[in-house]
Amino acid sequence: MDELNKKYYKIGEVARILELPQSTLRFWESKFSIIRPRRNDRGTRFYTPGDMERLRMVKYLVHEKGLKIEAAVEQVNRNRSNVSRRFEVIERLRTIRATLTDILDALR
């Protein structure tokens, strides 16, 4: 994921970065207690980089592992630290794989 260098992101920016519709982000907010962006007086959502990492974890569970929403909520509520560690390891491995692929392409 792109380096997150801002303190807060609006929902449109988050949707673009995570490649998800805004409606999905709002829906997940209603289902997952770990997703609670700050809001201003007008109701505009402001996501921190930590919020975005939690969204990425949910995206991994739902989109990549193929869990239904209820199962993903249960996973997060029951064993959040283990899910988070697995997600981090997978993300690191993807980064390493991309780097190795780039090196291989450069050598060809």
Side-chain angles (χ1 to χ4, degrees):
M1 178 155 87
D2 301 332
E3 175 138 349
L4 303 175
N5 53 16
K6 291 170 53 176
K7 193 171 182 178
Y8 294 103
Y9 295 84
K10 290 185 178 181
I11 193 168
E13 295 171 303
V14 175
R16 182 182 44 78
I17 291 169
L18 297 179
E19 298 176 347
L20 291 167
Q22 292 180 26
S23 59
T24 299
L25 299 176
R26 288 189 292 271
F27 177 72
W28 286 354
E29 182 182 332
S30 72
K31 296 294 182 183
F32 292 89
S33 61
I34 62 169
I35 303 171
R36 292 287 175 247
R38 291 183 162 204
R39 292 180 183 235
N40 65 10
D41 295 338
R42 298 186 337 191
T44 304
R45 291 168 174 86
F46 292 98
Y47 294 86
T48 63
D51 293 329
M52 292 175 66
E53 285 302 313
R54 288 186 288 279
L55 284 166
R56 290 177 68 219
M57 182 174 57
V58 170
K59 181 180 178 183
Y60 162 74
L61 290 171
V62 174
H63 288 224
E64 295 179 34
K65 273 190 91 174
L67 296 180
K68 295 184 185 245
I69 295 293
E70 296 78 19
V73 168
E74 185 179 325
Q75 280 282 334
V76 169
N77 290 340
R78 189 170 32 122
N79 202 359
R80 181 176 166 194
S81 62
N82 190 30
V83 171
S84 181
R85 277 184 270 147
R86 282 184 182 176
F87 171 71
E88 289 172 10
V89 167
I90 289 170
E91 287 300 307
R92 285 186 195 146
L93 289 172
R94 284 186 180 148
T95 302
I96 292 168
R97 183 181 203 174
T99 303
L100 291 173
T101 301
D102 291 344
I103 292 170
L104 185 60
D105 291 342
L107 291 173
R108 288 185 183 165

